[in-house]
Amino acid sequence: MKKHFLFILFLSFLNQAFAQKPATPLQTLQVEKTLQATSEQTLQVEKTLQATSEQTLQVEKTLQATSLLFGVAYYDEYMPYERLEKDVAMMKEAGINVVRIAESTWSTVEPQDNVWDFSHIDRVLNAMHKGGIKVIIGTPTYAFPTWLAKKYPDILATTSKGKNLYGARQNMDITNEHFRFHAERVIRKIMEHVKDHPAIIGYQVDNETKAYGTAGDNVQKAFVAYMKDKFKTLEAVNKAFGLDYWSNRINNWDDFPTVNGTFNASINASLNSEFSKFQRQIVTDYLAWQAKIVKEYAKPTQFVTQNFDLDWHGYSYGIQPDVDHFAAAKALDVAGVDIYHPTQDVLTGIEISLGGDLTRSMKNRNYFVLETEAQGFPQWVPYPNQLRLQAFSHLASGANMLEYWHWHSIHNSAETYWKGLLSHDFEPNPTYNEAKTIGKDFARLSDKLINLKKKNDVAVLFSNEAQTAFNAFSFGWGARETYNDILRPYYDALYKMNVGMDFVDGTKNPELSNYKLIIVPALYAASDELLKKLNQFVKDGGHVVYTFKSGFSDENVKVRSTVQPAIINEACGISYSQFTVPQNVSLKNDPFGVGKDNNKINTWMELITPTTAKVLAYYEHPSWGNYAAVTQNQFGKGLATYVGCMTTSALTEKIMKDALGKANLWKTEQSLTFPIITKSGVNQQGKTIRYFFNYSAVPQKVQYTFNNGNELLSNKSIATNTSLDLEAWGVKIIEEN
């Protein structure tokens, strides 16, 4: 579902402010057994759900044979009057061929304890099947009913801010034994009821799942069990996390204090980061648990997915800090994502591309967009042509499904002004009419656009562990930027230069040899093994671009006592021991030619001394002028670039352009720049598909320099070295001969 308005966030704040004292948890030993990452049950789940299983392979084979899916979320139970038949007719007219239902309606399905009502599900399943529209069933566990909250108040999570109160969604402890019992029961009851219905093509487990900050006594005890299993002894914990500081040393497992208090991020980021990792493991295990239950009933031709969301800065922004997406995706047949973004004059396509690249990389295959806006917030109502531009942008990154949240605007809820494809009057509108053109084109071109395969030479190496650690220490230097604020400028710069990218997870022993250039933003916490692997990648001929604060601490967020940047200094050919917050600092002599206003350094600067590196830029400052800001070093067969400061967008683009050129990755596509965006891949017929997007309100002419082909939307031939006309917010799709 969508992000709530500030009003809901305010209510949540009030709930926390007047929270009750935590209740004593029941049967914590059972919770510990459920949560231990190394438990036999978890290992069995992983074994059962691994991507190479026969069932998953069958699902993948089935999906390869399907058409593009174009759909909406649909909630019959929210409707103010009877209109199901009319909705189906309007959906068919728009070319909608799939709907997602049921993930929001536990209280409708189970109005009282063990009292069941499947009438809304049945009505929609039967109506959609009659209309030839496929259905995805969601498990309704992300918001639980009032009777369950009353019967078991301990289901409401205790967080670092206190006890949650009932009202908001996603306010529960997903490890709680009572929640698990009732969640499993509602899932099984729904699955038993719907499993044989011919309209169903797949299932979504939960919704934008996270641990929701759950940190009650039961979770704390489970965390201690996790720590015992991982570190074996308290001496190892004390040493790894530096707990002698402020007498935080733990000398008896029974004395292990709550992570909510003494060990918050400002006091011991090491233990805080480990607890965050543990909470992400809770999410991974929870989704695997749900997927396993669903697969007991699902047919081999039906998929299981989940709608992951991204970090939220008023819209989808970057790496989600609360979910280990690559680990959680292992339990799924298809990775799914929710992508929301600004439109109108600030539509860039960056969020569509980033969310798509990340989700495609989770399982190295095509993915589903399970939610994106049709109208969305009032400020997001799309200009003419923008809905089409957005739709084909999702396909260009490898999406096989595009679903809007949602079909109809809701008349009384927190999301009343998050508008669907239809407005509150349920009548056709310009956005709906534009969607009709998308549906027709998806149906007509499905066999040419589905299952697009992409091969990229560039990857962004990210790390949830580095993200947690970097964000935890932002108070230490008064930084306004988060981890994603460091990552995004580099991704954005490459996107605008039409460089295709994958994401690799730095915590998963990533395979790097498939790439020629790797971007490493703020790798603040990392193991020796990963840093040595990056050194070897450069030595073997690869190119790496590092930002500041990389290699600074180990995987336990303990700052290394060696020369910084630790370990990677070998490949980077530099060292530093001091850093500061710049005041009126720029780069000497404007080395990248960006002009005075763009040549400034913001937020952070490391005082770098080159050893073997070539200096690309020195600081311009009376005291810091002898120190390097940006360096480049030949190491073995490859090249390592290190950016020791927070640069402006213009500087970042120039640095990346230099890196691309030296990696021999400046190709024909790079002759085009934003607002012209081009993406490509190979379709299931083995032909190259090239998308051209105009992300501006001004018509553009593009010199088409690729192979002869056919423009699919107009069905017109196009020859190499001819002009391609793109209308405002327009799109062209070429299938090469």
Side-chain angles (χ1 to χ4, degrees):
M1 292 299 129
K2 316 309 85 13
K3 310 302 167 189
H4 289 176
F5 291 101
L6 291 175
F7 175 69
I8 297 303
L9 295 176
F10 178 65
L11 286 181
S12 177
F13 171 79
L14 290 181
N15 285 345
Q16 299 294 351
F18 295 99
Q20 303 168 9
K21 292 183 178 179
T24 303
L26 300 175
Q27 299 182 2
T28 56
L29 290 177
Q30 181 60 43
V31 174
E32 290 180 26
K33 183 177 180 181
T34 301
L35 295 176
Q36 287 190 46
T38 57
S39 68
E40 293 183 5
Q41 180 180 4
T42 300
L43 293 174
Q44 182 60 42
V45 168
E46 291 183 7
K47 182 178 179 181
T48 302
L49 298 173
Q50 59 181 309
T52 55
S53 69
E54 292 183 6
Q55 182 177 12
T56 299
L57 291 174
Q58 178 62 45
V59 170
E60 186 173 353
K61 183 178 179 181
T62 301
L63 288 172
Q64 292 288 326
T66 61
S67 60
L68 289 170
L69 295 171
F70 183 54
V72 292
Y74 185 71
Y75 307 105
D76 180 61
E77 53 277 11
Y78 295 172
M79 284 298 183
Y81 60 88
E82 173 57 48
R83 57 172 289 117
L84 179 56
E85 188 174 317
K86 183 176 181 180
D87 283 331
V88 172
M90 291 183 70
M91 289 178 189
K92 291 181 66 177
E93 187 177 356
I96 287 170
N97 59 13
V98 64
V99 296
R100 185 191 70 180
I101 69 171
E103 91 287 349
S104 291
T105 56
W106 189 343
S107 64
T108 305
V109 170
E110 191 180 9
Q112 288 297 322
D113 191 357
N114 209 23
V115 176
W116 304 97
D117 180 0
F118 300 109
S119 58
H120 284 289
I121 293 178
D122 291 341
R123 276 168 45 80
V124 176
L125 280 174
N126 293 334
M128 295 300 166
H129 183 56
K130 182 179 178 181
I133 297 174
K134 304 174 180 69
V135 178
I136 299 170
I137 297 284
T139 62
T141 47
Y142 82 106
F144 64 97
T146 55
W147 62 261
L148 189 54
K150 182 178 181 180
K151 188 173 183 178
Y152 298 111
D154 59 310
I155 288 177
L156 290 160
T158 296
T159 73
S160 61
K161 297 180 181 179
K163 183 76 172 178
N164 285 341
L165 299 179
Y166 185 81
R169 66 182 189 177
Q170 298 170 317
N171 56 359
M172 65 283 195
D173 174 7
I174 61 174
T175 75
N176 179 274
E177 60 167 342
H178 298 127
F179 175 77
R180 286 290 187 103
F181 172 83
H182 286 276
E184 179 171 354
R185 188 174 70 178
V186 73
I187 293 169
R188 289 190 182 279
K189 288 289 187 179
I190 290 174
M191 293 301 299
E192 289 166 2
H193 187 80
V194 305
K195 64 184 177 64
D196 294 321
H197 202 287
I200 299 172
I201 60 169
Y203 301 91
Q204 175 185 303
V205 287
D206 206 71
N207 178 83
E208 294 182 348
T209 311
K210 303 172 195 67
Y212 316 124
T214 186
D217 287 346
N218 59 318
V219 177
Q220 298 288 340
K221 289 178 180 179
F223 178 58
V224 173
Y226 159 90
M227 293 292 287
K228 285 181 179 179
D229 183 72
K230 179 173 181 177
F231 288 93
K232 310 305 181 188
T233 69
L234 277 172
E235 185 57 37
V237 174
N238 289 320
K239 183 177 181 180
F241 295 164
L243 296 183
D244 287 318
Y245 181 78
W246 281 2
S247 291
N248 287 159
R249 181 181 180 85
I250 309 168
N251 296 309
N252 188 307
W253 285 109
D254 292 334
D255 297 336
F256 208 108
T258 172
V259 180
N260 290 335
T262 305
F263 297 118
N264 61 35
S266 62
I267 296 172
N268 193 283
S270 297
L271 198 49
N272 174 269
S273 294
E274 192 68 40
F275 187 61
S276 295
K277 187 190 302 184
F278 173 71
Q279 288 179 312
R280 289 191 292 269
Q281 183 64 49
I282 288 173
V283 178
T284 298
D285 291 345
Y286 176 70
L287 289 176
W289 171 77
Q290 283 215 21
K292 183 176 183 295
I293 295 170
V294 170
K295 287 190 175 186
E296 290 180 28
Y297 302 89
K299 299 182 186 304
T301 55
Q302 294 171 330
F303 59 80
V304 175
T305 188
Q306 215 269 339
N307 58 328
F308 296 122
D309 67 347
L310 306 179
D311 189 24
W312 187 256
H313 285 202
Y315 53 90
S316 303
Y317 186 70
I319 304 299
Q320 170 59 253
D322 297 328
V323 183
D324 185 343
H325 280 148
F326 280 54
K330 289 180 180 179
L332 310 173
D333 300 308
V334 186
V337 66
D338 295 350
I339 302 174
Y340 294 100
H341 52 83
T343 59
Q344 298 185 11
D345 293 337
V346 289
L347 176 63
T348 64
I350 294 174
E351 292 77 27
I352 294 173
S353 180
L354 184 147
D357 288 344
L358 179 66
T359 313
R360 187 189 64 250
S361 299
M362 290 178 198
K363 297 181 75 68
N364 193 29
R365 68 183 70 162
N366 302 98
Y367 61 95
F368 291 161
V369 178
L370 288 154
E371 294 184 23
T372 191
E373 79 260 24
Q375 297 184 73
F377 287 134
Q379 65 268 29
W380 288 357
V381 176
Y383 292 157
N385 282 349
Q386 286 190 338
L387 199 72
R388 283 177 56 80
L389 177 65
Q390 293 159 196
F392 287 106
S393 294
H394 287 291
L395 298 190
S397 288
N400 276 353
M401 175 196 289
L402 174 63
E403 280 194 318
Y404 296 116
W405 199 89
H406 43 133
W407 169 248
H408 49 89
S409 299
I410 300 173
H411 295 78
N412 53 326
S413 73
E415 296 166 333
T416 295
Y417 289 99
W418 189 294
K419 293 175 68 179
L421 191 57
L422 299 185
S423 296
H424 294 99
D425 61 6
F426 300 137
E427 295 299 322
N429 60 62
T431 303
Y432 168 79
N433 290 334
E434 192 165 308
K436 288 164 63 175
T437 72
I438 299 169
K440 290 178 181 177
D441 285 333
F442 273 26
R444 179 170 60 90
L445 301 174
S446 184
D447 65 326
K448 295 181 179 295
L449 302 183
I450 197 171
N451 300 323
L452 189 72
K453 299 304 177 189
K454 300 175 71 69
K455 173 66 173 71
N456 293 316
D457 293 321
V458 180
V460 178
L461 186 146
F462 76 96
S463 164
N464 282 128
E465 295 172 11
Q467 179 180 26
T468 300
F470 182 90
N471 292 350
F473 269 117
S474 62
F475 80 94
W477 53 78
R480 296 181 299 275
E481 288 80 11
T482 65
Y483 175 86
N484 279 321
D485 294 323
I486 311 302
L487 183 152
R488 273 295 300 267
Y490 287 86
Y491 183 90
D492 294 4
L494 290 169
Y495 168 84
K496 290 181 177 180
M497 287 185 278
N498 288 303
V499 177
M501 287 169 278
D502 294 338
F503 280 83
V504 293
D505 187 345
T507 66
K508 301 291 185 296
N509 189 28
E511 178 54 57
L512 305 180
S513 61
N514 296 327
Y515 302 101
K516 297 179 180 179
L517 173 64
I518 295 176
I519 316 305
V520 184
L523 189 59
Y524 183 82
S527 66
D528 290 0
E529 289 74 19
L530 176 59
L531 299 180
K532 290 175 181 178
K533 188 169 189 175
L534 285 163
N535 281 351
Q536 189 64 46
F537 172 77
V538 178
K539 192 171 186 180
D540 292 341
H543 291 238
V544 174
V545 176
Y546 292 99
T547 77
F548 58 91
K549 280 296 181 186
S550 291
F552 200 74
S553 72
D554 65 16
E555 67 271 29
N556 295 317
V557 201
K558 191 173 186 178
V559 174
R560 290 183 167 91
S561 56
T562 56
V563 172
Q564 295 287 358
I567 300 177
I568 61 172
N569 63 68
E570 181 184 7
C572 293
I574 60 172
S575 68
Y576 72 86
S577 62
Q578 290 186 303
F579 39 78
T580 187
V581 177
Q583 300 178 40
N584 300 315
V585 180
S586 58
L587 297 184
K588 190 173 293 183
N589 299 323
D590 190 10
F592 295 101
V594 295
K596 182 179 179 180
D597 290 341
N598 291 316
N599 194 42
K600 299 175 182 177
I601 299 305
N602 304 309
T603 306
W604 187 255
M605 58 185 290
E606 294 165 351
L607 305 181
I608 296 171
T609 299
T611 51
T612 59
K614 174 184 177 182
V615 178
L616 299 185
Y618 285 97
Y619 295 117
E620 178 67 61
H621 189 272
S623 296
W624 313 131
N626 292 328
Y627 291 106
V630 184
T631 63
Q632 213 164 62
N633 189 56
Q634 186 77 39
F635 181 67
K637 299 177 182 178
L639 198 68
T641 301
Y642 190 91
V643 184
C645 51
M646 187 70 180
T647 53
T648 63
S649 295
L651 281 171
T652 303
E653 289 179 14
K654 290 288 186 144
I655 292 167
M656 291 314 306
K657 183 176 181 180
D658 175 78
L660 286 168
K662 289 173 180 173
N664 294 317
L665 293 175
W666 195 262
K667 300 179 181 179
T668 305
E669 289 86 346
Q670 282 64 65
S671 64
L672 303 172
T673 58
F674 187 83
I676 300 301
I677 293 297
T678 182
K679 288 181 176 288
S680 63
V682 176
N683 69 10
Q684 56 191 2
Q685 288 81 36
K687 294 186 176 182
T688 297
I689 297 291
R690 297 192 182 276
Y691 288 86
F692 294 86
F693 303 106
N694 176 17
Y695 274 95
S696 78
V698 179
Q700 304 280 340
K701 282 188 177 292
V702 175
Q703 188 69 13
Y704 180 77
T705 57
F706 302 96
N707 295 332
N708 295 344
N710 186 53
E711 203 289 305
L712 296 178
L713 295 174
S714 64
N715 196 26
K716 293 181 180 179
S717 297
I718 182 168
T720 186
N721 294 319
T722 57
S723 182
L724 194 63
D725 291 321
L726 288 168
E727 62 182 328
W729 312 109
V731 56
K732 301 287 186 183
I733 309 171
I734 314 296
E735 181 183 50
E736 292 188 358
N737 295 336

